Amino acid sequence: MSVYKRGCVYWYRFRFAGQVIRESSKSTSRTVARAAEDLLRGKAAHLAPRTVAIERANLKHLNPYFGKMLVCDIRAEDIAHYQARRQEEGAAAATINLEVATVRAILRKNRLWATLQPDVRMLREREDVGRAVSHEEEGRLLEACRTSRSRSLYPAAVLALNTCMCYSELRLLRWQQVDFAGRTLKVGQSKTESGAGRVIPLNDRALAVLGFWASLFPDRQPEEYVFPSERYGAAGNAFSPCAYATDPSRPIGRWKEAWEAAKTRSGVRCRFHDLRHTGCTRMLEAGVPFSVVAAIMGWSASTTVRMAKRYGHIGQAAQRHAVSVLDGATSGTGRLPASGVAEYPQLIS
């Protein structure tokens, strides 16, 4: 490990799993640079790559504000001011809380958090899970995705709707995880332990779009990414591609720009995550048992309990059908047993 200065800014460098990690702390403070390096190095040793990436993204927002401060000089007021500024910039409460959690980790590592903790308040996060798009909105949205310069946007959106996979799960999907014969898909890396490794059945729609997409890569290898890194020309779409510099050994970076453009063309305002929410909602509205939906979504036991409260109103029709089978279950005749008639005389016409 080393912390060194390049110009007026400190950089840190260390080796992890055979790879050299070298990044700017964007800070003129050696103390902040070393604290950031220690945090990333410690987390990289035992946390998922996704978590480490999140910490790095958090530091990019934190360093411009805290970069010139010594760790021991950070006060609760500074954290409150940072939260207010990020809110003015339009950052979501959940995002800001993640960033403050990184500050907390740095302070805790230096045994400075305990004195600040009573005066630091995390922001209240939204409890809604998003919105489900209508079938009419889905049609407009998918048509806009189909005509996108990013040829992978359309199949990714269709898969999100029909498998309820997360954005990162789709982005990191490899061909070896797709079983065309068995009509299943095995999730690889996921945000949660319960989500990783789950097997999702493929319906006709998902199987068709994956088959079409696979036909564009006749020489594909099992370990290669389904949605590879590639660049696009001025024109082209999923059905008339104009892609080049395709590298199947690397996953696509992101669909953000293509997704925003597709939303604008379609006039549908929603997040990519709402496609997953749409699939979940439709399954529950169709009466699919919540336990089955939870398995497809990859929810942990604690998340399932929380989601049951959020989605509880959606499955009421299925719940009414469920309790209706109890009518007459005791006597088997569809009528109340004698004891029931005596106990509830108002039910006798």
Side-chain angles (χ1 to χ4, degrees):
M1 180 272 292
S2 65
V3 174
Y4 58 97
K5 198 171 186 180
R6 179 179 295 177
C8 298
V9 177
Y10 280 98
W11 288 61
Y12 50 85
R13 178 180 59 210
F14 62 91
R15 180 178 294 274
F16 173 71
Q19 179 182 2
V20 175
I21 308 297
R22 182 187 295 106
E23 290 188 358
S24 169
S25 70
K26 296 181 176 61
S27 170
T28 57
S29 167
R30 184 181 182 87
T31 304
V32 170
R34 186 172 291 278
E37 187 276 334
D38 287 345
L39 176 66
L40 278 181
R41 183 181 178 87
K43 292 205 169 189
H46 62 275
L47 293 183
R50 168 72 178 172
T51 303
V52 177
I54 291 174
E55 296 293 354
R56 289 177 180 163
N58 291 345
L59 288 171
K60 290 179 181 179
H61 292 288
L62 294 167
N63 277 321
Y65 188 90
F66 295 102
K68 295 183 180 179
M69 303 174 62
L70 295 175
V71 176
C72 60
D73 290 338
I74 296 178
R75 304 169 302 164
E77 292 85 350
D78 298 317
I79 296 177
H81 291 159
Y82 175 80
Q83 291 171 316
R85 192 184 74 172
R86 291 288 286 138
Q87 283 182 306
E88 292 174 358
E89 294 172 351
T95 299
I96 300 172
N97 284 342
L98 278 175
E99 294 165 1
V100 172
T102 299
V103 177
R104 179 180 61 199
I106 293 174
L107 293 172
R108 183 174 288 160
K109 185 174 181 64
N110 290 273
R111 293 180 170 80
L112 296 170
W113 173 247
T115 57
L116 299 183
Q117 183 176 5
D119 300 316
V120 176
R121 296 288 181 269
M122 304 299 276
L123 301 180
R124 186 181 183 86
E125 300 180 16
R126 292 175 58 181
E127 289 296 322
D128 63 296
V129 291
R131 79 176 189 90
V133 299
S134 67
H135 288 284
E136 186 273 333
E137 288 176 321
E138 176 190 330
R140 287 190 283 131
L141 192 58
L142 288 182
E143 177 59 26
C145 291
R146 190 181 67 84
T147 58
S148 172
R149 285 198 304 121
S150 174
R151 62 173 180 169
S152 61
L153 181 62
Y154 175 78
V158 172
L159 281 180
L161 279 164
N162 290 274
T163 65
C164 297
M165 293 175 69
C166 296
Y167 183 97
S168 60
E169 294 171 348
L170 283 167
R171 194 179 71 83
L172 299 176
L173 185 65
R174 298 176 188 263
W175 287 115
Q176 61 192 8
Q177 297 167 229
V178 181
D179 181 357
F180 285 102
R183 297 176 60 100
T184 61
L185 181 154
K186 186 175 182 180
V187 176
Q189 297 182 32
S190 182
K191 290 184 177 180
T192 63
E193 183 178 348
S194 56
R198 71 184 189 277
V199 176
I200 300 175
L202 295 173
N203 60 18
D204 292 342
R205 199 178 184 194
L207 194 65
V209 77
L210 269 175
F212 154 73
W213 186 248
S215 69
L216 301 181
F217 303 92
D219 299 323
R220 64 187 181 278
Q221 298 300 312
E223 69 279 3
E224 294 177 345
Y225 288 98
V226 173
F227 300 114
S229 170
E230 55 188 8
R231 302 181 68 180
Y232 304 97
N237 53 58
F239 294 90
S240 180
C242 186
Y244 64 97
T246 301
D247 184 358
S249 67
R250 296 171 53 211
I252 188 172
R254 61 181 183 177
W255 289 290
K256 183 177 181 181
E257 291 81 5
W259 174 251
E260 291 298 327
K263 288 197 303 180
T264 300
R265 291 195 302 274
S266 67
V268 179
R269 306 306 301 172
C270 66
R271 304 168 301 167
F272 193 91
H273 182 78
D274 290 333
L275 302 181
R276 170 177 161 92
H277 172 67
T278 299
C280 176
T281 300
R282 289 176 181 175
M283 286 190 291
L284 290 173
E285 287 177 339
V288 178
F290 202 89
S291 58
V292 176
V293 174
I296 293 174
M297 300 293 285
W299 291 333
S300 64
S302 59
T303 300
T304 299
V305 172
R306 189 170 71 254
M307 291 302 174
K309 295 179 180 179
R310 293 185 183 181
Y311 284 102
H313 66 287
I314 296 176
Q316 285 183 352
Q319 293 169 10
R320 283 193 293 272
H321 173 72
V323 297
S324 70
V325 304
L326 302 177
D327 287 335
T330 302
S331 64
T333 62
R335 300 176 57 189
L336 285 173
S339 59
V341 173
E343 188 173 353
Y344 303 102
Q346 68 272 23
L347 296 181
I348 302 177
S349 58

